[in-house]
Amino acid sequence: MKKSYLFLLFAFVCLAGKASGQLLQPCSADEATKRLMSTDPQILQAQRNYYQQMVNAVKKIDFSKVTRTTQIDESGDPSFWYDIPVVFHIIHDYNESSNGEWLTDNFLFNTINDLNIVYAKQNADTSDVIAPFQKYIGNPHIRLHLATIDPDGNPTHGITRHRSYLTYIGGDQSKLDDWSPTSYVNLWSVNQMNAQNGMAAAYAYFPSQAAGIPFWDGVICLSSYVDHGGATSGNTGDSYKTINHECGHVFSLYHPWGGTNFPGVACGDDDVDDTPPTMGHTEPGCVYAASSNPNSLYDTACATNYFKLYTDISGHDSLVNYPDTTNTQNIMDYTYCAKMFTMGQVSRMHSALNSNLAGRNNLWNTSNLIATGVMDSTAAGFSFVPRPDIKPILEFAATRVLYGAQPTPTTYMDNVNYFTFPNTLVSFHNESWNDTLTSLRWIFSNGARVSDTTATSVLTNNSLIIKNYFTQSGWVDLKMIGTGNNTGTDTAEWKNAIFVADATGTPGNTYVEEFGPGGSAAKWPYFNYYNNEFKWQLDTTVGFDDHYCMKYVGYDSRIVSDPINPIYPVTGTPAGDFDDLFSIPVDLSSFTDTVNLNFYYASASRSSALADINDTMEIDYAIPTNINSNTVTWKKLAILSQGSLINNGALSTEFTPTGYSNWAPQTIGIPKVARTAYTTFRFRYWPHPGADGVFSSGNDFYMDRVNFSRIPASVSSVTLTGMDVAVVPNPTSGDAYVVVKDAGNVTAKVIVTDITGKQVYTTSQAVTGGEAQILIPRSAIAVPGMYLIQTTTGNQSQTKKLVVY
């Protein structure tokens, strides 16, 4: 049967070998394809059109000529090159460890050089290709160039950096800051893939799919595989060339065994004639080692007696006897001996680059090369634009230092800690990029005490660390002044870069936080770590009984440009995000028997489906045994979710409490070990997506009247001075309490009457210790309506209204 050059139109999530001794596994590319096809029928139509376009292009290829030369495009001009602008998007969390995702500029410059070595057939290991395929090694004649002009016309090194929790759940939603894929090939790197992508190291979409989802067009790759096998990284020889493989998909190359991510299952075919049928191979495949299986290099299981008949240019049939050995050393296989593209694969890549689908033909267009800063429009003939000198982008990350050794950041929890205690040693990591710094000065406010000899240091590399103590409580401002190599000096300033807690605890037995003016709300710092719309903020419009409270913005207000199309052009998902609110340190040592953390809250969900209500709030506490020792550990106190976090049901619009009935009391017991003279609480809110996996199903959460008491929140959140009476909760749908304070230690008598004046309940109770909480049971006030509560102590009497609903 005669075989044509057919362009297969699927998304590929690719096996890329072993990381840290662990074998990576492929994800379900077929499932991803089915999802895309089922949600957007236009992609299926684009696939059909593209198929026909490729068939027409292939008709122009002289296959007899292809088998005789290794440097050719469709025109037969061996001097022609496809120059492609690219941009690296580093999605990170300032992780510089050995398996971290913070890739340096120089590393990325070297990566592009390594990619181009392969795409120019200059990789020395092609000499190790076995004899049957030596004459089929193709030269793609493709050059990748980091852009020097960004989409806004500004100078660039072709690198962006975006701090995001999405680096830990790599997938389409991690593809932040995308540039137009018709002008640039987007390359994203992340720390880990999400569960849907399993143990994949990288994946890319084919043009027929990318045309329908341009905002996801490009390659996403684990940071540990960005230059895996690159010559400048030292990983030469048999290492796997991951991004070369993925860019092959971008240029319409298929796995040699067919349209799956699972090699070794059955004989398959990529519709390229000079890559014989194969089952494909997995790492280690044909790794050169005495213990490896040499038969994988000469695998003939699917290719025995493999040949093709063509019609040559004179109209006669021409037979080409291809190798009966599979092309195990092909870059599109999964082996660790990837060394070559075939001439047929080169022709297919060139055909894709000449197609207008997904704008592939615009990538190497002269006007685009000038617009993206690849080509110098003022030079005679083709001239590359050198990398421009750009002022450094100054950045930092802070780490709380532990005794014994300088910490090696591995996760967010170790890497960025903007909340600290007085006299705690904090390391500030220089994370500047875009230029090599020759000097850097750090300027801190608020009683900073630099532990290094000076706050001005000369850099020897981009990992300089400044260690500081802070002697004053409150917010610390930071200024960095950096001098770049040949670019002059630049300054960056951060107001409220780090918060230092009070040195002593506020007495908890008299403390009530209403977040209003004159209180200590300013000493409750909150942090939107990833600078997005889900965050804590002080609300000055609503409250439990005033116009002040703390609010978590959990309502997803991002706009879908096409609400009918379920393929969202919105990147980012709440999954993995979190934001912190820290309390003032409190002194709980006066509570010798029991104490509760109490507050009132008002909240709603966005979905009525229980399975979609996934937001949680974790409450932790820290007890620095010695503030100066840095031995601070956060311990879990409680996790609130669903019914304990949501008390107003589902609401499709943004929730705002309008009255007392929207608020509910929350009481959390504090263990004995936490009843110290210096205990701090952390409220960590985790927003979560709904069933679509993209948009939050949560809504806004409000918290007010935080206090510490032996009695529950429904009673204890009342501040009484002198002789006073309060009825709480009010309104109520259950029990109510009369809170009486009287220093005379007398007996309090309570009479409850309904709106008609009928007495429905009476009781009395001794006021001991200056205070009493007197129960009015639900059974006595079972009928909804207004009640009058008369309380008498000695010769004093007060009457309060109580609303029952």
Side-chain angles (χ1 to χ4, degrees), residues 85 237 324 332 349 400 411 413 437 481-483 509 526 563 590 744 778:
D324 291 346
M332 302 310 294
M349 285 192 281
R400 181 168 48 82
T411 66
M413 290 303 295
L437 296 181
I481 303 175
T483 301
N509 59 339
Y526 43 90
S590 64
R778 172 62 178 175

Side-chain angles (χ1 to χ4, degrees), residues 343-356:
M343 291 180 292
Q345 288 175 316
V346 167
S347 294
R348 196 153 98 171
M349 285 192 281
H350 291 180
S351 293
L353 287 169
N354 281 279
S355 167
N356 62 3

Side-chain angles (χ1 to χ4, degrees), residues 522-598:
K523 297 183 178 182
W524 283 64
Y526 43 90
F527 302 93
N528 183 11
Y529 295 116
Y530 298 107
N531 194 30
N532 58 5
E533 71 167 334
F534 304 105
K535 58 187 176 183
W536 287 103
Q537 65 183 37
L538 188 65
D539 194 298
T540 60
T541 63
V542 298
F544 177 72
D545 57 1
D546 57 17
H547 297 293
Y548 301 93
C549 71
M550 194 60 69
K551 172 184 178 181
Y552 185 81
V553 181
Y555 182 82
D556 199 334
S557 60
R558 292 177 295 173
I559 298 173
V560 182
S561 61
D562 183 3
I564 297 176
N565 187 347
I567 303 296
Y568 301 110
V570 176
T571 53
T573 169
D577 186 19
F578 63 92
D579 303 272
D580 285 341
L581 167 69
F582 293 87
S583 77
I584 190 172
V586 291
D587 181 355
L588 302 177
S589 60
S590 64
F591 295 97
T592 57
D593 49 3
T594 183
V595 62
N596 300 305
L597 166 63
N598 295 323

